[in-house]
Structure formats: C-alpha cells, structure tokens
C-alpha cells in the first residue's frame, strides 16, 4: 500500500477494502524509542484539532505576512491544503440548513420526544412501557453523545458564546460530566494526538484487568454510574468556579430525570426510578464503548517524536463504520460512517461530514492514502479474537518510511 512517492507500507494483519484493518508495520526506520509523552504547554501539533475553519491551509512553503519563508515546502502538507480547499468549496456552497440546521433539528426532535417517553412509562402494559424505555434511551444518547460531541467541537453554531452555553447544557447537564475536562481530553488530546502512544491512543477505554467478555458485554452497563464518578474525580483539575458550576449542572440533570420518573411516569419507589434511570442511560452503552475502540485501537500507533503529518496520521489511524439508522441518529455521522472526515475537519457538523465524505474518500484513494472502513460485526469479531493483543498489552509502535 504506497503512501506517497512510492513509499511502501507493509501491513501486518488483515486488510479491509484494500486498506489497513489490523496493526500494520511501516518498515524501514527501526523501532523508535518511547519517550515521555506529556504535552508541553508551548507545543504545536500538526492536527489543528479544534480551530479548523474553511479556508486554505498553510503548507510548509507558505510565507509569513512579512514575507519571510517559514519552512521548506512539504508535499504532505500540500496534500492537506489541497483537500482543505476542496472541502472549503463544499462548505461555502452549503446552506445554513446543511451546515447546522439538520443536526439541530435532530436534537430538537429528541427533546420533543421526552414527554412521550415519560408518559409511556406510566403504562402497566409491557409494550407501551418498553416503548418508553426505548424512547428515553435513544433520546438520552442523542443528547449526551451526539449533542455533547457537536458542542465540544463548537459545531452547532458559529457563535463561541452560544457554543459554550450548548456545551455546558449537553456535556454537564445532560451527560453529567465536566466541560473543561471533556474538551481537553477529547478535542485537545484525542484529536490533537490521534493514535499517539501515551496521549491520544484511546487508552482511556482500556481496562486490562477485565477479560474480553466482561469488557465487551457487561462493563458497558456501568457507564451511567462511572461517568459522574469520573467527572467528580476530574474536578480537582479545574478552577473552583467551573467545579461549582459542574456540580450544580450534574445534580440538576440527574435529579430532574429522577423527579420526572417519580412524578410523571408514576414510579412508586426511589429504587425502581433509579433502576429505570440506569436502564435508559445504558441502553446504547454497548455500541458507545464499541465504537470508541473499534475506530482507533488496532490501527497504526506512533510516538510523539515520530508521528506523521496530519493527513497521514488521520488516514492511517482512523476507521469508518457503515451507515446505521439508529447509531446515525443517536451518535451522529461523525462518530460512525464519517469518522475519518471528522478527524480531518473536526469543526464540521455531522451532516456536513456526510456531505464531504465522497470528496474525502475519493481524494485519499486517488493519492494512494488509506481510507479505512470495516463493518461493526467484523470489528467485534476482531476484538474478541485479539483482545489480549489490542486491549491488554501495549500496542506495537508503527515504523515509518519517507513520510516524516
């Protein structure tokens, strides 16, 4: 699988659609040493994760406003600039409805379904009751996963002030997590250092003391309990005003859910209401955990001092899953079938990621770059077979040739 200028990539493991699906080894540079991977405050990543805006990307050969050349031209950054220009044209020709309206409408519809979900739970019959559980479960994950993800990237609105309001609402009130830590861990670290060992390597999702079946099928049920507990622990790392705001929002969100179950749905005991909360909040926890590991773990891993440029980092280390109506609605296209596009252009909404998908996929394949795709069932089987290698042991470092 050539990268550019004939540089070979020799994958170790199986391939999907002609691209990497296991753990490849790009040979020729020797095994790089693993150094300390703390992020320096003044470091510059090649993945401008949070602030991508439509517009020409600067390459290494661009000049400063004063006319002094910054660095020698790098053809790989030229590729990213060329792709950015293609995407920019699509974004500029798109309406507000396409850029923001579609996803806002999905979130608004989810809010409108909340009363029906709580009222369905009043029924003593099995079918309406299960319909209520399903409705509230899908709505919860739409608000907490899709809403929080879009808000963390400020993809719901152009206004940074309103973006902050929506981020607090979706991340803290709906998801019971802390905004500052969610943004730092996801936007700054995961996107800024995708598949970099010790930084954005998705190690947050690894629990090596659990066996494969417990981790894949039982542990996800604890996500609604662990999420606020982890958030409380992380509050030590934020300012006291932000911590106080987070505590108030978390309490308000959890208590409102509990109160509505008692007074609208008619639950007779606190324990039955809490059990229903756990059931609805963990309804899609299995695909949530699975998606987070399927799309990065098992793909090439790098060290901070030997990582490729952005376009190679994202094409090598990110994978798309097929379209799925339920997950597309609840999680969003950028987390399912357009994850590669999302990592290349993280500030775009789910609908815009779907719109630029043909352009990105065609461009990467035209330039002989990986465009990783696989099915949900295939990745699940892969992780069950190779759980020890992928989720317990430290992943091997990918060796690079000619793309530094």
């Amino acid at each position: 699988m050539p990268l550019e200028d004939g540089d070979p990539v020799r994958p170790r493991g199986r391939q999907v659609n002609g691209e990497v699906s296991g753990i490849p080894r790009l040979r020729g540079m020797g095994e790089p040493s693993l150094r300390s991977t703390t992020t320096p405050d003044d470091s510059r990543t090649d993945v401008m994760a949070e602030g991508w805006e439509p517009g020409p990307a600067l390459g290494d050969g661009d000049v400063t406003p004063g006319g002094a050349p910054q660095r020698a031209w790098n053809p790989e950054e030229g590729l990213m600039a060329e792709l950015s220009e293609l995407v920019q044209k699509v974004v500029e020709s798109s309406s507000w409805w396409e850029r923001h309206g579609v996803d806002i409408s999905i979130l608004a519809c989810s809010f409108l379904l909340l009363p029906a979900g709580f009222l369905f739970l009043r029924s003593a019959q099995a079918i309406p009751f299960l319909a209520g559980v399903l409705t509230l479960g899908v709505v919860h994950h739409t608000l907490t996963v899709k809403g929080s993800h879009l808000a963390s990237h400020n993809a719901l609105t152009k206004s940074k002030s309103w973006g902050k309001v929506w981020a607090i609402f979706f991340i803290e009130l709906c998801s019971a997590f802390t905004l500052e830590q969610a943004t730092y861990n996801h936007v700054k670290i995961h996107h800024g250092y995708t598949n970099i060992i010790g930084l954005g390597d998705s190690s947050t999702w690894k629990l090596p003391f659990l066996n494969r079946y417990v981790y894949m099928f039982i542990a996800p049920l604890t996500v609604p309990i662990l999420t606020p507990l982890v958030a409380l622990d992380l509050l030590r790392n934020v300012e006291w005003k932000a911590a106080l705001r987070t505590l108030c929002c978390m309490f308000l969100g959890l208590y409102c859910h509990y109160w509505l179950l008692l007074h609208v749905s008619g639950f007779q005991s606190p324990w039955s209401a809490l059990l229903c909360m756990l059931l609805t909040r963990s309804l899609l926890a299995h695909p949530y955990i699975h998606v987070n590991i399927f799309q990065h773990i098992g793909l090439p891993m790098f060290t901070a001092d030997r990582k490729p440029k952005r376009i190679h980092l994202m094409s090598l280390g990110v994978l798309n899953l097929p379209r799925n109506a339920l997950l597309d609605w609840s999680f969003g296209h950028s987390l399912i079938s357009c994850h590669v596009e999302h990592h290349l252009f993280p500030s775009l909404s789910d609908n815009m990621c779907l719109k630029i998908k043909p352009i990105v996929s065609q461009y990467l394949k035209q330039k002989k770059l990986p465009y990783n795709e696989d099915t949900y069932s295939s990745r699940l089987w892969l992780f069950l077979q190779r759980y020890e290698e992928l989720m317990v042991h430290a992943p091997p470092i990918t060796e690079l040739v000619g793309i530094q």
Side-chain angles (χ1 to χ4, degrees):
M1 178 179 61
L3 282 180
E4 193 173 357
D5 300 328
D7 295 319
V9 179
R10 297 179 179 89
R12 179 169 68 85
R14 64 189 188 84
Q15 300 190 6
V16 179
N17 292 344
E19 306 299 346
V20 181
S21 175
I23 300 180
R25 304 285 291 178
L26 289 76
R27 303 187 183 279
M29 290 184 61
E31 189 72 17
S33 59
L34 181 60
R35 305 191 314 180
S36 173
T37 51
T38 56
T39 55
D41 292 337
D42 58 348
S43 64
R44 170 190 176 274
T45 72
D46 292 302
V47 185
M48 302 298 290
E50 185 179 18
W52 182 86
E53 296 292 343
L58 288 177
D60 281 341
D62 293 302
V63 296
T64 61
Q70 293 177 320
R71 290 172 296 180
W73 172 259
N74 188 315
E76 291 157 5
E77 296 191 358
L79 291 177
M80 190 63 217
E82 185 179 6
L83 178 58
S84 296
E85 290 178 0
L86 294 175
V87 171
Q88 176 191 357
K89 293 178 181 178
V90 177
V91 174
E92 290 178 344
S93 64
S94 300
S95 64
W96 176 89
W97 174 256
E98 292 175 305
R99 284 177 291 157
H100 302 292
V102 172
D103 294 296
I104 291 175
S105 297
I106 291 174
L107 294 171
C109 287
S110 297
F111 279 115
L112 295 176
L113 287 172
L114 279 173
F118 283 108
L119 291 174
F120 277 140
L121 292 178
R122 295 182 63 91
S123 176
Q125 299 179 358
I127 293 179
F129 184 84
L130 291 176
V133 171
L134 178 63
T135 301
L136 289 185
V138 171
V139 168
H140 171 76
H141 285 85
T142 304
L143 300 181
T144 59
V145 180
K146 180 184 177 70
S148 295
H149 189 233
L150 290 174
S152 70
H153 289 286
N154 202 37
L156 288 171
T157 175
K158 284 187 175 182
S159 169
K160 291 190 177 295
S161 299
W162 275 108
K164 179 70 176 294
V165 171
W166 288 122
I168 292 174
F169 177 79
F170 286 113
I171 297 174
E172 297 191 347
L173 189 70
C174 298
S175 305
F177 206 74
T178 167
L179 168 62
E180 284 75 14
Q181 287 298 303
T183 303
Y184 176 78
N185 290 327
H186 179 72
V187 178
K188 300 296 185 182
I189 300 300
H190 175 65
H191 274 267
Y193 298 88
T194 301
N195 283 26
I196 304 299
I197 296 294
L199 292 170
D201 60 357
S202 301
S203 57
T204 303
W205 303 102
K206 294 182 180 181
L207 297 173
F209 55 88
L210 298 178
N211 71 51
R212 68 196 66 203
Y213 298 105
V214 172
Y215 177 85
M216 301 295 286
F217 302 112
I218 298 177
L221 297 174
T222 65
V223 168
I225 300 173
L226 293 178
T227 298
L229 294 179
V230 171
L232 291 175
D233 181 64
L234 291 175
L235 289 180
R236 298 176 301 172
N237 302 322
V238 302
E239 295 181 355
W240 71 268
K241 291 182 179 179
L244 181 60
R245 181 204 67 218
T246 299
L247 286 173
C248 292
C249 289
M250 288 172 58
F251 174 79
L252 181 61
L254 292 170
Y255 183 75
C256 285
H257 191 176
Y258 171 76
W259 187 90
L260 288 169
L261 288 174
L262 287 178
H263 294 87
V264 176
S265 299
F267 282 84
Q268 299 300 312
S269 71
W271 289 109
S272 61
L274 291 173
L275 182 62
C276 186
M277 285 180 65
L278 177 63
L279 181 60
T280 56
R281 287 172 175 255
S282 63
L283 186 70
L284 296 179
H286 287 83
Y288 173 72
I289 293 295
H290 293 170
V291 164
N292 274 284
I293 63 175
F294 288 175
Q295 293 178 316
H296 295 286
I297 298 177
L299 296 171
M301 298 284 178
F302 308 94
T303 56
D305 60 331
R306 294 289 185 91
K307 65 185 179 73
K309 297 298 182 180
R310 176 178 181 177
I311 193 165
H312 283 113
L313 187 65
M314 299 310 171
S315 64
L316 284 167
V318 186
L319 178 142
N320 285 344
L321 295 170
R323 295 284 303 272
N324 178 286
L326 177 60
L327 298 186
D328 285 347
W329 177 277
S330 302
F331 295 175
H333 301 298
S334 61
L335 290 179
I336 306 300
S337 62
C338 303
H339 204 51
V340 174
E341 290 74 13
H342 169 64
H343 268 261
L344 286 167
F345 305 101
S347 65
L348 295 183
S349 65
D350 288 331
N351 186 64
M352 283 307 302
C353 284
L354 185 63
K355 187 173 181 180
I356 68 169
K357 181 183 175 72
I359 296 171
V360 173
S361 61
Q362 181 180 1
Y363 183 84
L364 293 181
K365 292 173 182 177
Q366 177 186 352
K367 299 299 181 180
K368 309 294 186 189
L369 293 172
Y371 188 76
N372 297 316
E373 296 179 297
D374 202 357
T375 64
Y376 191 102
S377 59
S378 175
R379 297 301 286 179
L380 179 61
W381 180 244
L382 174 71
F383 273 74
L384 289 175
Q385 285 185 312
R386 299 169 57 188
Y387 180 81
E388 294 289 328
E389 176 186 356
L390 299 178
M391 302 297 291
V392 177
H393 303 303
I397 306 300
T398 301
E399 301 172 21
L400 302 174
V401 173
I403 60 174
Q404 290 298 89

